[in-house]
């Protein structure tokens, strides 16, 4: 089959690779109809996530048709159309029982690698380094899906791929980020980053009852989408003093909750940006926490800091004093996607949201390398790319 493979920083290639096979009785093989490129893939593409090996198949946002099932699979049948959640979860361990699917303790065969860095290992993820399981991803014609009775959700006929594909990650991710804010009537929520995750966080904050949502970015078409399609007020962090602005519109108090939907590749201008880039390039820190710092300082006393943005390792000059002295609640995590599949599919079916609004580019799988280049540069007004293998 054809698959998009990682070869190093800024080097991905579409190659002919062996077809996946059933390995365990609970596996299914999916023939992929659509997959997407995520902001998280950029951290791999830009070389920030360790334990990627040459030839690894990328992609963790994908859907398709079941073409083969292991003898232990009960719920899925050949021909079913499914969306696959990006974390791999067994459905019956300590964490899965508590609905903490992205922390499943049975899916990562390389847990020892993650334990070295973080103390304990989270669940494995599709197409996301050997430290997180070494599973082949879904930017390919086929993928093997372990625990096939636990993860994939069946999609009824009548919904297009683009309406449901983002159940695999970014819609639940934005939703969990907003849910983590414990939104109360009247709340003002600030969202750093108006990429796909930030846009779904904004939408979800309104679905969960926020009064005002402020989207922060500098890319004009992303700010426009945040306003026009998601109902946010927006600010360009290069043109406006973000902290002063947020204080001004909240009577000096600050937003009730702040969402960092940027993560470890935050951009910053001026001396702070230079400081972070130098520290990161000489490996004195692994991540650039510009948005995180700002969100901590902006948040009102007793408020919530919700961090869907991915950080890999160590960060520097983080004002943790603000967390303690302002009594902030911090919530984060890779998304427990499985929890959100049914309820968010219901919201799509009843017309509350059409997640396809983020798609700007549709490309053939063969063009994935071009897609990564465009998406990482935020060129051509690119917001979200959908790849189709056929
Ligand atoms: P993206 O790269 O398309 O979007 C990031 C946005 O942040 C861009 O629009 C960029 O202009 C903006 N930005 C950069 N620096 C900023 C700053 N200082 N202030 C405000 N905005 C700034 O990526 P995405 O797909 O939207 O993903 C966003 C983050 O969410 C990534 O870190 C990704 O890894 C993470 N993510 C996490 C999960 C999870 O389960 N927790 C799932 C999916 C994605
Ligand atoms: Zn993703
Ligand atoms: Zn589990």
């Amino acid at each position: 089959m054809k698959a998009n493979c990682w070869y190093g920083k800024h080097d991905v290639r579409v190659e002919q690779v062996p077809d996946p096979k059933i390995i365990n009785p609970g596996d299914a093989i999916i023939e992929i109809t659509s997959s997407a490129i995520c902001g998280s893939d950029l951290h791999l593409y830009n070389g920030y996530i360790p334990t990627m090996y040459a030839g690894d198949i990328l992609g963790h946002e994908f859907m398709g048709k079941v073409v083969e099932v292991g003898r232990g699979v009960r719920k899925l049948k050949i021909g079913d159309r499914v969306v696959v959640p990006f974390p791999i979860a067994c459905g019956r361990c300590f964490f899965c029982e508590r609905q903490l699917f992205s922390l499943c303790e049975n899916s990562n065969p390389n847990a020892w690698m993650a334990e070295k860095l973080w103390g304990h290992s989270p669940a494995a993820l599709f197409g996301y380094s050997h430290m997180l399981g070494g599973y082949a991803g879904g930017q390919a014609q086929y993928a093997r899906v372990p625990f096939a009775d636990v993860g994939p959700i069946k999609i009824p006929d009548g919904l297009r791929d683009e309406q449901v594909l983002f159940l695999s990650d970014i819609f639940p991710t934005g939703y969990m980020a907003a849910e983590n804010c414990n939104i109360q009537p009247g709340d003002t929520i600030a969202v750093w980053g108006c990429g796909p995750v930030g846009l779904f966080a904004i939408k979800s904050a309104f679905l969960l009852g926020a009064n005002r949502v402020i989207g922060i970015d500098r890319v004009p078409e992303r700010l426009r989408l945040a306003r026009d399609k998601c109902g946010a007020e927006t600010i360009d962090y290069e043109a406006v003093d973000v902290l002063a602005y947020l204080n001004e519109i909240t009577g000096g108090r600050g937003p009730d909750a702040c969402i960092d939907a940027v993560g470890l590749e935050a951009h910053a201008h001026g001396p702070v940006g230079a400081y972070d880039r130098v520290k990161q390039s000489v490996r004195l820190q692994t991540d650039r926490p510009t948005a995180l710092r700002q969100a901590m300082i902006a948040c009102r006393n007793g408020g919530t800091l919700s961090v869907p943005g991915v950080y890999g390792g160590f960060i520097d000059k983080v004002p943790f004093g603000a967390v303690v002295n302002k009594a902030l609640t911090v919530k984060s995590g890779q998304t427990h996607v499985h929890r959100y599949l049914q309820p968010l599919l219901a919201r799509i079916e009843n017309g509350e949201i059409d997640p396809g609004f983020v798609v700007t580019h549709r490309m053939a799988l063969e063009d994935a390398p071009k897609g990564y280049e465009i998406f990482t540069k935020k060129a051509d007004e690119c917001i979200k790319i959908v790849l189709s293998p056929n």
Side-chain angles (χ1 to χ4, degrees):
M1 67 164 182
K2 275 180 290 187
N4 185 38
C5 305
W6 184 94
Y7 275 90
K9 190 174 172 182
H10 298 169
D11 184 2
V12 300
R13 305 175 200 167
V14 176
E15 293 189 325
Q16 206 66 34
V17 302
D19 286 1
K21 289 193 178 67
I22 300 277
I23 296 176
N24 294 310
D27 292 350
I29 304 291
I30 311 290
E31 180 183 5
I32 290 158
T33 51
S34 296
S35 65
I37 307 177
C38 177
S40 298
D41 291 324
L42 295 182
H43 308 324
L44 306 173
Y45 185 67
N46 293 325
Y48 291 117
I49 305 289
T51 72
M52 288 296 292
Y53 303 157
D56 284 350
I57 300 174
L58 292 167
H60 60 269
E61 302 183 354
F62 61 95
M63 65 178 295
K65 230 185 253 158
V66 177
V67 288
E68 203 183 334
V69 291
R71 58 185 158 74
V73 174
R74 300 277 169 271
K75 295 188 197 151
L76 287 190
K77 288 185 305 297
I78 290 174
D80 284 345
R81 185 172 170 233
V82 293
V83 172
V84 180
F86 79 90
I88 302 172
C90 77
R92 53 185 165 77
C93 69
F94 176 91
F95 293 100
C96 287
E97 274 182 354
R98 287 161 181 73
Q99 303 257 300
L100 300 169
F101 297 101
S102 72
L103 301 173
C104 173
E105 57 191 356
N106 277 330
S107 60
N108 186 359
N110 303 329
W112 65 273
M113 291 186 185
E115 283 162 6
K116 273 195 178 168
L117 189 58
W118 300 321
H120 304 276
S121 174
L125 310 180
F126 284 102
Y128 216 78
S129 82
H130 288 263
M131 184 171 85
L132 292 175
Y135 289 89
Q139 287 163 11
Q141 286 181 295
Y142 298 90
R144 177 177 76 95
V145 176
F147 306 113
D149 277 338
V150 180
I153 182 170
K154 283 191 217 177
I155 300 299
D157 292 336
L159 293 169
R160 288 174 294 108
D161 276 22
E162 283 179 17
Q163 285 178 284
V164 291
L165 172 61
F166 305 128
L167 286 170
S168 59
D169 179 350
I170 52 173
F171 183 18
T173 294
Y175 192 87
M176 185 168 109
E179 196 180 66
N180 277 342
C181 295
N182 187 25
I183 296 171
Q184 304 297 312
D187 274 2
T188 297
I189 314 295
V191 180
W192 275 257
C194 297
V197 170
L199 293 169
F200 281 110
I202 294 169
K203 272 263 187 204
S204 303
F206 281 121
L207 288 174
L208 291 166
N211 182 37
R212 295 177 80 174
V213 183
I214 320 299
I216 305 159
D217 206 303
R218 66 167 174 164
V219 181
E221 60 275 10
R222 293 178 175 226
L223 290 168
R224 199 184 320 128
L225 210 56
R227 278 194 304 275
D228 295 352
K229 294 280 167 142
C230 306
E233 301 159 51
T234 58
I235 48 178
D236 174 347
Y237 65 84
E238 288 197 317
V240 174
D241 179 337
V242 173
L243 296 174
Y245 180 88
L246 291 174
N247 274 330
E248 192 185 307
I249 64 160
T250 54
R253 207 176 263 158
D256 299 288
C258 293
I259 297 178
D260 169 2
V262 178
L264 68 91
E265 294 187 60
H267 157 270
H269 46 288
V272 174
Y275 175 90
D276 278 326
R277 279 188 181 280
V278 169
K279 280 223 136 178
Q280 192 178 38
S281 63
V282 297
R283 304 240 172 247
L284 283 172
Q285 66 178 354
T286 54
D287 307 343
R288 300 195 300 265
T290 324
L292 185 68
R293 287 188 195 117
Q294 235 176 30
M296 277 182 176
I297 297 293
C299 197
R300 78 151 161 79
N301 289 359
T304 300
L305 176 65
S306 166
V307 187
V310 163
Y311 291 87
F314 302 91
I315 48 182
D316 190 35
K317 299 276 184 295
V318 168
F320 202 76
V323 172
V324 176
N325 293 287
K326 298 199 295 178
L328 302 184
T329 299
V330 181
K331 293 252 194 170
S332 189
Q334 298 282 0
T335 305
H336 306 299
V337 175
H338 302 56
R339 278 194 208 162
Y340 300 98
L341 291 171
Q342 277 304 349
L344 295 185
L345 176 63
R347 286 188 189 265
I348 296 169
E349 285 185 291
N350 71 24
E352 272 177 88
I353 181 168
D354 179 351
F357 77 94
V358 293
V359 179
T360 51
H361 290 63
R362 297 164 183 87
M363 299 174 110
L365 176 64
E366 280 92 338
D367 297 326
K370 185 80 202 150
Y372 271 74
E373 196 191 327
I374 293 174
F375 185 48
T376 201
K377 291 180 178 157
K378 315 218 178 313
D380 198 24
E381 305 208 348
C382 178
I383 293 173
K384 190 77 180 176
I385 299 177
V386 174
L387 302 169
S388 46
N390 300 304

